[in-house]
Amino acid sequence: GYSQFFPQNKYAAFPSASVGWKISNESFLQDIKFINLLKVRASIGVTGSAGSQAYGTFSPDGYVVTFNNGAVAYVPYYLTQLDNPDLEWPKTVNKNIGLDFSLLGERISGSFDIFRDDLTRLITDVNTPMLSQISTAPVNSGHRVRQGWELGINTVNVRNASFEWTTLINFSRTRLRWEERYLNTF
């Protein structure tokens, strides 16, 4: 739960599930000695982020108002954000398929992943109706897609009692695109 959302949207569930298959444990790969580990995995899950607030806020305006020749001082506050009871948790659906491997007595190991994340109900500020006291208000809007792949390879080049030389190489490609823009965005 997040206390900055109204009661009807305060709580949200973020389930996830994953499955993996260690292929290297199967009988048909037992005779292939150069493969130490071969594992396929997949996962899907939902995450949320709570970075905004739905309740109206007041802020000091930076001036001090005095009365009785300075004997009484007040700091005026003004409304800086309107209530938005419809504001909900931004939601991201994460999907991933991966392969883990280890070869040649664990001298070469690594992983390869393909992923797609759907970011929905993003929070942005939109213009309020004309003559409103506040010019913008937060709303849920937009849908972005982040997708790509990652490859990591680890090698043990030299290993003896007094010296070890390893190499780690990473390759990746990530794209972030709008599936649906924010409200009031052209």
Side-chain angles (χ1 to χ4, degrees), residues 8-29:
Q8 70 272 18
N9 295 324
K10 179 178 181 177
Y11 295 99
F14 302 107
S16 65
S18 64
V19 64
W21 177 29
K22 220 177 206 185
I23 303 170
S24 55
N25 286 351
E26 299 296 331
S27 59
F28 59 84
L29 282 181

Side-chain angles (χ1 to χ4, degrees), residues 114-183:
I114 299 172
F115 61 90
R116 177 184 167 121
D117 303 331
D118 285 276
L119 297 82
T120 59
R121 295 195 314 220
L122 303 168
I123 297 177
T124 187
D125 288 327
V126 296
N127 294 333
T128 56
M130 292 184 75
L131 302 178
S132 177
Q133 183 179 358
I134 306 298
S135 61
T136 62
V139 296
N140 292 107
S141 177
H143 177 187
R144 297 183 87 179
V145 175
R146 179 177 46 229
Q147 63 187 45
W149 56 267
E150 297 175 350
L151 171 65
I153 300 174
N154 306 310
T155 62
V156 179
N157 306 317
V158 176
R159 179 186 288 156
N160 59 42
S162 60
F163 180 74
E164 183 172 303
W165 170 29
T166 61
T167 304
L168 170 63
I169 301 170
N170 289 312
F171 300 98
S172 66
R173 179 164 193 239
T174 303
R175 296 184 66 193
L176 182 63
R177 63 180 168 79
W178 285 100
E179 192 74 19
E180 176 187 325
R181 296 262 183 198
Y182 289 135
L183 294 173

